[in-house]
Amino acid sequence: MANGQWYPPEWPDRIRALAAGTLTPVTPRRAATVMLLKDTDTGPRVHMLRRRASMAFAGGAYAYPGGGVDPRDDDRDIGWAGPTRAWWADRLGVDETGAQAIVCAAVRETYEEAGVLLAGPTPDSVAGDTTGADWEADRAALVARDLSFAEFLDRRGLVLRSDLLGAWTRWITPEFESRRYDTWFFVAALPEGQRTRNASTEADRTVWTRPQDAADGYDKGELLMMPPTIATLRQLAPYGTAAEALAAAPGRDLTPVLAEARLEDGEIVLSWPGHDEFTKHIPTTRTGGAPA
């Protein structure tokens, strides 16, 4: 492996099956992930977690806090600060109930997996220390899906701070994958007074790293990542502060990135539009070799 691109061994066979018409793509589930940033003397750092090797999807890969949308959060009246649901619907390319659920997923997953809560008692505040036993009980209930995020906000009298999020990009898992997600990536700055911790049962390590350092680790084959992760790291690297990255978010294109597999010169070419570095060449018949 020349770099750290995550490439499951079952992909070639699944791609061939898709090309042959014997594989029916599953419908992708909506999801959200958050690139949490904090400023340091050497530039902004991003919070990343390493998925446990035992995970069925992307085991061992570095990623950001994130997960699937909870449909219970789509239409409940919740405390909401920042751009309206209508604004978010237009920005994310969905209806208003879908926009609320996606933004809720972004904030909820950041709390579940990093212990950071982008919500506060008023529209212009954020929660302080969220490490107490009562907070942990609520976080565990969220993880177990015994409690919806909308119910959590209502119970604690909290306002979701959608203004602390910036929509960055959108990727859809390839059609040949058995687990598919339609994922919106957001950026956010670590709120003052809060700190991250490894609160995820899916991760065995968390780090704060400069985006360029993580990208260098990927290029050397030292860090395993999925295409959207390394792509977003490269996009974040030029920004000198978290505020600069957040200011750039509204102008970013959210056209979904979806991998394509085509037959060309006797081989299957797997590519991600706009991201040539991830292109793979796969023989149409099994040869025993690894994809190029």
Side-chain angles (χ1 to χ4, degrees), residues 161-174:
R161 292 289 305 277
S162 80
D163 55 317
L164 299 181
L165 289 169
W168 191 262
T169 191
R170 179 183 177 185
W171 287 63
I172 301 177
T173 310

Side-chain angles (χ1 to χ4, degrees), residues 6-222:
W6 179 68
Y7 193 89
E10 67 272 14
W11 269 15
D13 285 342
R14 295 187 65 85
I15 292 171
R16 294 185 191 101
L18 180 67
T22 58
L23 176 67
T24 301
V26 299
T27 301
R29 180 186 176 190
R30 285 180 173 176
T33 191
V34 176
M35 300 177 289
L36 193 63
L37 304 172
K38 72 173 180 180
D39 291 322
T40 70
D41 292 341
T42 57
R45 294 177 180 256
V46 63
H47 181 72
M48 303 188 75
L49 53 84
R50 184 174 65 187
R51 295 174 60 82
R52 294 185 183 277
S54 58
M55 296 296 294
F57 182 79
Y62 280 80
Y64 312 112
V69 163
D70 185 342
R72 295 177 296 176
D73 294 331
D74 62 3
D75 60 0
R76 180 165 175 164
D77 186 23
I78 64 174
W80 186 279
T84 65
R85 294 165 181 78
W87 184 94
W88 278 108
D90 182 66
R91 179 73 180 117
L92 302 179
V94 297
D95 59 22
E96 289 189 32
T97 57
Q100 175 171 304
I102 292 165
V103 172
C104 278
V107 177
R108 186 195 72 243
E109 290 289 339
T110 304
Y111 180 52
E112 286 183 6
E113 299 193 346
V116 171
L117 183 58
L118 303 177
T122 64
D124 57 356
S125 67
V126 292
D129 185 3
T130 62
T131 59
D134 58 333
W135 285 99
E136 181 57 27
D138 277 353
R139 194 194 66 79
L142 287 169
V143 172
R145 296 298 181 260
D146 294 333
L147 182 68
S148 75
F149 194 62
E151 291 168 338
F152 165 76
L153 293 173
D154 183 60
R155 172 187 295 183
R156 287 190 167 270
L158 295 173
V159 178
L160 184 148
R161 292 289 305 277
S162 80
D163 55 317
L164 299 181
L165 289 169
W168 191 262
T169 191
R170 179 183 177 185
W171 287 63
I172 301 177
T173 310
E175 291 184 333
F176 47 81
E177 252 293 350
S178 57
R179 297 169 182 264
R180 300 190 65 212
Y181 300 93
D182 183 353
T183 305
W184 283 262
F185 286 68
F186 296 84
V187 289
L190 178 67
E192 185 175 352
Q194 293 194 32
R195 55 190 174 90
T196 58
R197 58 193 175 93
N198 184 7
S200 174
T201 59
E202 300 178 353
D204 60 11
R205 184 188 184 204
T206 61
V207 295
W208 280 103
T209 180
R210 292 195 316 136
Q212 188 59 58
D213 290 344
D216 290 345
Y218 167 91
D219 290 336
K220 295 174 183 176
E222 298 171 353

